[in-house]
Amino acid sequence: MRVIYLLIILIGCQSYSQIKVADSLKIADLEIPNSPALTLLDKSFSIIETSNTSNSVNVNLINIKDNSLEIVPYWFFNKNKYYSAEEYFGFSISNNVRKQNIFNDIKKLTVSAAYTTSDTCSSIAFAVKTNIITIRNIKSINKKFEYYSTYNDLRNDYVKDNTKRVIDTILNFDSLPDQEKIKIAQIIKSKLRDEYDSKNKEENEEVITNFLNAFNHKVFTLDLASGAGFIFPDNKTDTGRLGKYGVWSTAKYSAILSDDAKDYFNIYGYSRLLFDNSILDIDNVTYLKNKYVDIGGKLEFQFNKVSISAEYLNRNGDSKDYRLVGTIQYKVQENLYLTGGYGKNFDTDAGNLISLFGLRWGLSEKPIAKLN
């Protein structure tokens, strides 16, 4: 009997040790954005970006010379890999009514550093960014929970109806100590849940797809960021001085374009107050102190693994200018994106902004939200 018991443990543990597909969501924001430190320096493909907090570490590599590292301290202080869906996405349930905390992601502040270099000057920037407001489609999420509850009820009935049959077939369950009974029952129930999911594979995958689309889609977001950059003329450390610093906000509205919720149309609004002490006045041999107000927006189409966007920023203040850039991004795999862009940057003396290659890389494993 002990041999049979150990055999059940060995066979069952493989499935029991895993989170079931139909009961968990791998949290995945739609893309890995440029870090705010890199956008402060106007060196990224797109300045108008929203926060992404599902990875604890993100890396941006653009044309080798422009690089950034971004971390989310929240994940380093919270070592849990698994969260309830309500806990992670900021929902609460009262009297069977699900409500969302639109300020839930403020705590997931990002901290970033960027380094850029050229033949005549190097720059280092530091920035912080956080989401102030996130609004998801609560009605859609509630419908997905109703669908999941129906599926889960049927699966629980299957487990309940077959648990006793399996136990009676394998061994004399009543003769075992209580602790061994509990362990065996847990393992058998786990395997029966897997068996039901396997027999209903299409419905199982539909449950997960519906939840992922409902939870990860953000209808509206509002972010706030601030940063400071330092320049090193002639690439010497002893010439270092404060260059750019400022504060900016980004709002985004996202609409689903397809029934499977893989295609989106996104509208961004952006405003930035920027102080720039990095421009050298050759005649007076001093650095100018300029203040700018940048206002603009971005239109973006996301088609599953490909996104295409165009952004425009108008600059007013101590000088007038504009930035117009188009970008295209391809999702190679879950945490790896290739990006390219072309257009006019603010610095008219530098001509067009041409970026032939860019890499966005999420280094950390994403957390998992368990369904209740």
Side-chain angles (χ1 to χ4, degrees), residues 181-198:
K181 289 181 180 180
I182 293 173
K183 290 180 181 179
I184 292 177
Q186 286 177 332
I187 292 170
I188 291 176
K189 288 179 180 180
S190 175
K191 291 184 70 62
L192 287 171
R193 288 167 66 88
D194 286 346
E195 183 177 282
Y196 184 85
D197 290 340
S198 179

Side-chain angles (χ1 to χ4, degrees), residues 230-275:
F230 301 86
I231 60 171
F232 299 88
D234 302 321
N235 296 316
K236 297 179 180 180
T237 56
D238 57 358
T239 63
R241 57 176 286 111
L242 180 64
K244 295 180 179 180
Y245 58 98
V247 60
W248 59 98
S249 65
T250 308
K252 175 185 175 182
Y253 170 76
S254 179
I256 298 176
L257 297 180
S258 58
D259 292 337
D260 59 6
K262 292 183 178 180
D263 303 331
Y264 301 87
F265 174 60
N266 303 320
I267 303 175
Y268 299 75
Y270 181 88
S271 62
R272 177 172 67 174
L273 175 62
L274 181 66
F275 299 88

Side-chain angles (χ1 to χ4, degrees), residues 1 6 86 109 112 132 156 225 229 251 279 310 312 341-342 359 366:
M1 184 178 297
L6 290 175
E86 282 81 2
L109 174 141
S112 62
I132 303 299
N156 288 339
I279 300 176
Y312 173 81
Y342 177 83
L359 179 67
K366 295 179 183 294

Side-chain angles (χ1 to χ4, degrees), residues 145-161 193 196:
F145 263 109
E146 291 175 2
Y147 183 25
Y148 169 73
S149 295
T150 301
Y151 177 88
N152 195 44
D153 288 343
L154 293 172
R155 184 174 56 183
N156 288 339
D157 290 341
Y158 178 86
V159 172
K160 182 179 179 180
D161 293 341
R193 288 167 66 88
Y196 184 85

Side-chain angles (χ1 to χ4, degrees), residues 6-38:
L6 290 175
L7 183 62
I8 296 173
I9 292 288
L10 291 174
I11 295 174
C13 277
Q14 180 177 3
S15 64
Y16 183 63
S17 62
Q18 299 174 352
I19 297 298
K20 305 301 176 293
V21 173
D23 298 304
S24 63
L25 301 173
K26 191 118 180 210
I27 297 165
D29 289 323
L30 297 177
E31 64 181 47
I32 298 171
N34 290 310
S35 74
L38 199 60

Side-chain angles (χ1 to χ4, degrees), residues 3-275:
V3 174
I4 297 176
Y5 168 67
L6 290 175
L7 183 62
I8 296 173
I9 292 288
L10 291 174
I11 295 174
C13 277
Q14 180 177 3
S15 64
Y16 183 63
S17 62
Q18 299 174 352
I19 297 298
K20 305 301 176 293
V21 173
D23 298 304
S24 63
L25 301 173
K26 191 118 180 210
I27 297 165
D29 289 323
L30 297 177
E31 64 181 47
I32 298 171
N34 290 310
S35 74
L38 199 60
T39 61
L40 173 70
L41 300 176
D42 295 337
K43 291 292 186 177
S44 61
F45 298 104
S46 179
I47 290 178
I48 305 175
E49 296 276 359
T50 56
S51 294
N52 178 303
T53 58
S54 61
N55 286 303
S56 58
V57 181
N58 290 323
V59 171
N60 279 268
L61 306 175
I62 300 177
N63 290 346
I64 307 301
K65 294 183 178 181
D66 304 326
N67 311 306
S68 72
L69 175 68
E70 181 178 31
I71 65 172
V72 184
Y74 176 83
W75 296 122
F76 292 95
F77 291 101
N78 291 268
K79 299 298 184 179
N80 294 336
K81 180 181 178 181
Y82 303 109
Y83 299 81
S84 70
E86 282 81 2
E87 177 186 7
Y88 183 85
F89 293 105
F91 292 96
S92 61
I93 302 177
S94 177
N95 297 324
N96 294 323
V97 177
R98 187 171 285 103
K99 297 181 180 180
Q100 61 178 319
N101 176 10
I102 63 175
F103 308 109
N104 180 67
D105 286 344
I106 290 179
K107 59 191 176 186
K108 298 169 190 172
L109 174 141
T110 68
V111 179
S112 62
Y115 173 76
T116 70
T117 185
S118 67
D119 294 335
T120 59
C121 185
S122 296
S123 300
I124 297 176
F126 304 92
V128 295
K129 188 173 189 177
T130 191
N131 172 262
I132 303 299
I133 296 174
T134 291
I135 298 176
R136 291 180 167 88
N137 189 332
I138 191 69
K139 291 183 178 180
S140 175
I141 290 174
N142 284 333
K143 288 182 179 179
K144 303 305 182 291
F145 263 109
E146 291 175 2
Y147 183 25
Y148 169 73
S149 295
T150 301
Y151 177 88
N152 195 44
D153 288 343
L154 293 172
R155 184 174 56 183
N156 288 339
D157 290 341
Y158 178 86
V159 172
K160 182 179 179 180
D161 293 341
N162 287 276
T163 298
K164 188 177 185 305
R165 173 184 59 79
V166 173
I167 289 174
D168 291 342
T169 302
I170 295 177
L171 48 78
N172 184 2
F173 189 69
D174 292 334
S175 66
L176 293 174
D178 289 345
Q179 289 301 318
E180 292 186 1
K181 289 181 180 180
I182 293 173
K183 290 180 181 179
I184 292 177
Q186 286 177 332
I187 292 170
I188 291 176
K189 288 179 180 180
S190 175
K191 291 184 70 62
L192 287 171
R193 288 167 66 88
D194 286 346
E195 183 177 282
Y196 184 85
D197 290 340
S198 179
K199 290 181 177 180
N200 299 274
K201 184 177 179 181
E202 291 186 3
E203 187 176 3
N204 177 288
E205 292 177 350
E206 187 175 355
V207 168
I208 272 295
T209 300
N210 286 338
F211 262 115
L212 283 174
N213 294 338
F215 274 115
N216 289 322
H217 177 234
K218 303 170 184 177
V219 178
F220 176 82
T221 61
L222 177 64
D223 297 341
L224 183 65
S226 181
F230 301 86
I231 60 171
F232 299 88
D234 302 321
N235 296 316
K236 297 179 180 180
T237 56
D238 57 358
T239 63
R241 57 176 286 111
L242 180 64
K244 295 180 179 180
Y245 58 98
V247 60
W248 59 98
S249 65
T250 308
K252 175 185 175 182
Y253 170 76
S254 179
I256 298 176
L257 297 180
S258 58
D259 292 337
D260 59 6
K262 292 183 178 180
D263 303 331
Y264 301 87
F265 174 60
N266 303 320
I267 303 175
Y268 299 75
Y270 181 88
S271 62
R272 177 172 67 174
L273 175 62
L274 181 66
F275 299 88

